[in-house]
């Protein structure tokens, strides 16, 4: 059946099926609300997992450990965020100041999950010591820290336990990263927890969970709801708990450090490091903004992950940033990116369009051959293929262009969906935030209208009326899909449709001119024969 479809129709089928999967998956398995019952159990599950050290597994022994209510010990204030450390020496809150990060309800974004392990949380292998530590507050040499634009400041946290003193020396920077050193007065085995990813539900349109970036550029993703068993890693460059736009990251620790990933009762990842007596590392909590991460440490840009097509998406994202540096607006940068991609794919799309036009030209002759040899399928197929060869038409001529376009499309899809840089970024007139849906549905409607017109001018060779009806409804289906998609993604698709229409129009005119020339030559030949 596919050989009867045009390249664009095949692309629509592939994309429609993919979007159906994405939408169906998020509908059937929606992210849990922070206040839901399932998330309420996450806290106790993480507490149970928290006592598991990389050297031993003993979750049953700590299943009854309860979450301890704590107060704020130290507050770190910077231009972009406010961070709080609680009396158990954990980062208990990170609130972003820029309103572009606000939720749809207008509330500031909180990057620390309300339940579960929190960043810098320590769990000892010694259960008796662990029980005491959970009830013994830390002290700090500073209660309030104000960071200048390029400033930094150090706070020292201390916890005095029986025969053991724990000291955390933390240096915070205005860009959201920090240096950390955990020192113990005596040798004790412990785990240091990364914490859970943010629970900003409205933004969870992509994979959320945990990431390990290790070895020779190897990225391992642990999706929420899909973690099985226990995984151990060494030679780790960074460990991240992430959602669509934000991440909590540990990095800069020794390559011999063992990193463990386990599951909680919801099969979400719980990630921790094997601590040492004098353990130094770095951390970051904030938006996954490429330039910010790169300026802190180039390894951090690997926390920006685009799925299966990262190898295509990463360079596309760099091109998008370059265009933004030239044009100064993310909307125009998306349009510029669309232009460059259309130029890059032009030979492929042109080849597919020309191939389908050739098939349209010989379609009547193909039908005659099929009627002539309908009782002999083998001979009919041979005659049809001979006719294709004679006229330079390939019924599968659009397949290769299609296959090469799909990775590019999904790469762009992930780039525009995951780019936190688009948050709060306006384009023109009514589009004030390219990371959110078009509030007036203008772009989705324009996208659907251009898709309909593109179908109308594209040659089709349908023999089944049902197939034709299905394809006529695709623009309507896509329009409804795109109602809830970020305006930046819809803008790309709309502009891409405009270029497809223009290219198809030129190809159609080219073949119409060729047909007219052949027709005139045929009439002239007949006239000559009469003379």
């Amino acid at each position: 059946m596919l050989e009867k479809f045009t390249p664009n129709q095949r692309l629509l089928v592939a994309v429609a099926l993919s979007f159906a999967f994405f939408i169906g998956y998020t509908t059937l398995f929606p992210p849990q609300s922070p206040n839901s019952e399932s998330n309420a159990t996450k806290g106790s599950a993480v507490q149970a997992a928290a006592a598991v050290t990389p050297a031993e597994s003993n979750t049953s022994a700590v299943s009854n450990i309860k979450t301890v209510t704590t107060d704020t010990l130290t507050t770190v204030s910077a231009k972009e965020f406010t961070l709080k450390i609680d009396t158990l020496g954990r980062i208990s809150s990170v609130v972003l100041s820029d309103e572009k990060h606000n939720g749809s309800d207008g509330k500031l974004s909180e990057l620390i999950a309300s339940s579960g392990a929190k960043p810098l949380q320590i769990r000892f292998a010694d259960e008796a010591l662990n029980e005491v530590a959970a009830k013994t507050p830390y002290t700090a040499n500073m209660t309030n820290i104000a960071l200048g634009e390029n400033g930094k400041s150090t706070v020292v946290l201390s916890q005095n336990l029986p025969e053991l003193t724990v000291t955390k020396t933390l240096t915070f920077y205005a860009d959201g990263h920090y240096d950390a050193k955990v020192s113990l007065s005596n040798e004790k085995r412990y785990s240091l927890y990364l914490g859970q990813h943010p629970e900003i539900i409205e933004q969870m349109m992509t994979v959320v969970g945990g990431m390990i970036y290790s070895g020779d550029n190897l990225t391992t993703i642990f999706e929420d709801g899909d973690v099985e068993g226990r995984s151990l890693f060494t030679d780790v460059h960074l460990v991240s708990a992430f959602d669509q736009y934000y991440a909590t990251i540990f990095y800069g620790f020794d390559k011999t450090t063992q990193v463990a990933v386990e599951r909680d009762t919801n099969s979400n990842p719980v990630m921790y490091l094997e601590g040492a007596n004098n353990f130094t590392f770095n951390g970051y909590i904030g938006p996954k903004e490429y330039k910010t991460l790169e300026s802190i440490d180039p390894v951090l840009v690997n926390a920006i992950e685009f799925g299966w097509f990262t190898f295509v998406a990463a360079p596309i994202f760099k091109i998008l940033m370059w265009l933004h540096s030239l044009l100064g607006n993310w909307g125009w940068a998306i349009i510029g990116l669309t232009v460059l991609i259309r130029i890059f794919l032009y030979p492929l799309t042109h080849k597919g369009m020309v191939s389908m036009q050739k098939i349209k030209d010989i379609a009547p002759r193909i039908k005659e051959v099929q009627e002539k040899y309908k009782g002999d399928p083998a001979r009919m197929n041979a005659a049809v293929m001979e006719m294709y060869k004679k006229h330079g038409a390939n019924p599968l001529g659009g397949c290769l262009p299609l296959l090469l376009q799909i990775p590019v499309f999904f790469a762009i899809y992930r780039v525009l969906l995951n780019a936190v840089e688009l948050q709060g970024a306006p384009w023109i007139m009514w589009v004030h935030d390219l990371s959110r849906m078009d509030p007036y549905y203008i772009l989705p409607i324009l996208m659907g209208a251009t898709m309909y017109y593109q179908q109308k001018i594209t040659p089709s060779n349908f023999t089944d009326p049902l197939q034709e009806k299905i394809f006529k409804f695709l623009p309507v289906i896509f329009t409804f899909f795109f109602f809830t998609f970020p305006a930046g993604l819809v803008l790309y698709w709309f502009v891409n449709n405009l270029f497809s229409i223009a290219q198809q129009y030129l190809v159609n005119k080219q073949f119409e001119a060729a047909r007219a020339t052949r027709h005139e030559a045929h009439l002239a030949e007949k006239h000559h024969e009469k003379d």
Side-chain angles (χ1 to χ4, degrees):
M1 185 176 75
L2 283 178
E3 65 270 12
K4 299 175 182 177
F5 295 170
T6 68
N8 287 318
Q9 289 166 343
R10 293 173 192 161
L11 180 60
L12 288 176
V13 169
V15 176
L17 291 175
S18 301
F19 274 138
F21 171 77
F22 290 147
I23 300 299
Y25 185 88
T26 53
T27 300
L28 294 174
F29 306 102
Q32 296 293 332
S33 168
N35 297 321
S36 67
E37 181 178 347
S38 60
N39 263 292
T41 64
K42 187 195 300 186
S44 60
V46 171
Q47 295 299 326
V52 183
T53 69
E56 63 178 328
S57 180
N58 187 25
T59 55
S60 61
V62 293
S63 59
N64 58 356
I65 291 180
K66 298 178 180 179
T67 301
V68 178
T69 301
T70 60
D71 297 321
T72 297
L73 181 63
T74 300
T75 299
V76 180
S77 301
K79 178 182 178 182
E80 299 294 336
F81 65 89
T82 300
L83 180 149
K84 294 181 180 180
I85 301 171
D86 67 12
T87 50
L88 284 184
R90 311 173 302 178
I91 296 177
S92 58
S93 173
V94 175
V95 175
L96 300 179
S97 305
D98 195 325
E99 63 179 13
K100 74 177 185 179
H101 299 294
N102 292 1
S104 58
D105 57 2
K107 294 182 179 179
L108 296 174
S109 293
E110 170 63 74
L111 301 189
I112 303 300
S114 58
S115 60
K118 300 188 185 301
L120 303 181
Q121 179 171 334
I122 288 178
R123 304 296 295 183
F124 293 100
D126 183 332
E127 285 306 309
L129 178 61
N130 209 46
E131 288 283 357
V132 175
K135 301 173 182 177
T136 304
Y138 278 73
T139 58
N141 67 333
M142 302 176 71
T143 56
N144 289 284
I145 299 173
L147 299 176
E149 187 171 345
N150 298 306
K152 66 177 183 177
S153 187
T154 300
V155 60
V156 179
L157 312 176
S158 299
Q159 185 183 43
N160 295 314
L161 303 172
E163 301 180 357
L164 177 69
T165 299
V166 180
T167 304
K168 296 179 181 178
T169 304
L170 308 174
T171 301
F172 292 97
Y173 297 80
D175 56 15
H177 87 281
Y178 58 91
D179 305 328
K181 180 179 180 181
V182 178
S183 302
L184 306 184
S185 60
N186 298 318
E187 194 75 32
K188 294 289 182 181
R189 292 171 56 219
Y190 70 93
S191 300
L192 187 72
Y193 281 78
L194 174 67
Q196 308 299 98
H197 63 71
E199 295 177 329
I200 305 174
I201 301 301
E202 67 184 81
Q203 296 172 346
M204 292 185 182
M205 297 180 66
T206 59
V207 171
V208 296
M211 169 197 291
I212 301 289
Y213 179 67
S214 61
D216 187 15
N217 302 319
L218 176 64
T219 299
T220 306
I221 300 295
F222 295 88
E223 295 186 33
D224 272 10
D226 196 36
V227 180
E228 297 180 359
R230 183 167 177 254
S231 302
L232 299 177
F233 298 84
T234 54
D235 192 18
V236 175
H237 308 303
L238 69 83
V239 53
S240 170
F242 67 93
D243 71 353
Q244 185 174 355
Y245 293 134
Y246 310 100
T248 299
I249 304 172
F250 283 168
Y251 66 101
F253 41 83
D254 190 87
K255 64 186 300 183
T256 61
T257 300
Q258 189 165 254
V259 179
V261 182
E262 294 200 0
R263 62 187 291 268
D264 63 15
T265 54
N266 296 315
S267 296
N268 297 336
V270 179
M271 313 173 78
Y272 52 88
L273 314 182
E274 178 183 15
N277 196 35
N278 288 288
F279 187 47
T280 59
F281 63 99
N282 307 99
Y284 173 80
I285 303 175
K288 294 184 288 183
E289 293 180 351
Y290 187 96
K291 290 183 179 179
T292 299
L293 296 179
E294 186 179 42
S295 66
I296 295 170
D297 190 323
V299 74
L300 291 180
V301 300
N302 296 286
I304 304 173
E305 197 271 333
F306 298 110
W308 292 347
F309 298 111
T310 295
F311 68 98
V312 180
I316 286 178
F317 183 56
K318 290 183 179 180
I319 294 172
L320 181 65
M321 289 192 297
W322 172 72
L323 288 169
H324 177 259
S325 69
L326 294 178
L327 303 173
N329 179 282
W330 285 105
W332 294 116
I334 290 171
I335 293 173
L337 178 66
T338 311
V339 173
L340 293 180
I341 290 174
R342 292 298 307 196
I343 293 172
F344 175 74
L345 294 176
Y346 181 84
L348 294 172
T349 53
H350 182 75
K351 181 179 179 181
M353 290 178 178
V354 168
S355 178
M356 294 310 297
Q357 282 284 5
K358 288 180 178 179
I359 292 175
K360 179 182 178 180
D361 283 350
I362 64 173
R365 300 182 189 180
I366 294 292
K367 190 172 182 179
E368 290 176 4
V369 170
Q370 290 172 336
E371 285 294 327
K372 183 177 180 180
Y373 299 111
K374 61 182 179 181
D376 189 346
R379 193 172 179 184
M380 179 184 70
N381 289 335
V384 168
M385 293 308 297
E386 179 63 28
M387 186 165 291
Y388 282 146
K389 184 177 180 181
K390 179 180 178 181
H391 293 85
N394 183 356
L396 300 179
C399 284
L400 179 59
L402 166 67
L403 292 176
L404 293 177
Q405 289 179 65
I406 287 177
V408 174
F409 166 74
F410 281 111
I412 293 170
Y413 169 84
R414 290 302 296 266
V415 164
L416 298 181
L417 203 59
N418 287 16
V420 67
E421 286 81 356
L422 297 185
Q423 277 196 307
W427 178 41
I428 58 172
M429 297 166 61
W430 74 98
V431 180
H432 303 295
D433 189 341
L434 288 165
S435 71
R436 299 183 185 273
M437 59 182 283
D438 184 336
Y440 303 109
Y441 310 114
I442 295 173
L443 283 175
I445 292 172
L446 289 174
M447 185 278 303
T450 53
M451 183 178 289
Y452 170 77
Y453 185 71
Q454 180 186 347
Q455 277 193 355
K456 190 173 182 180
I457 67 172
T458 300
S460 62
N461 301 299
F462 287 114
T463 56
D464 184 348
L466 179 59
Q467 293 176 12
E468 190 171 10
K469 288 180 180 178
I470 291 174
F471 271 95
K472 284 183 178 179
F473 276 103
L474 277 180
V476 177
I477 296 171
F478 265 61
T479 299
F480 280 102
F481 276 158
F482 277 81
F483 273 166
T484 58
F485 274 44
L489 181 62
V490 186
L491 176 62
Y492 162 77
W493 193 271
F494 166 58
V495 176
N496 185 67
N497 284 352
L498 293 178
F499 277 94
S500 295
I501 289 170
Q503 188 175 359
Q504 187 68 61
Y505 177 81
L506 293 176
V507 170
N508 290 354
K509 286 296 181 182
Q510 175 188 345
F511 272 81
E512 287 173 9
R515 292 185 193 110
T517 301
R518 289 197 302 269
H519 181 66
E520 290 175 2
H522 181 66
L523 291 178
E525 184 179 349
K526 279 189 173 183
H527 182 72
H528 180 72
E529 288 175 356
K530 287 182 180 180
D531 292 344

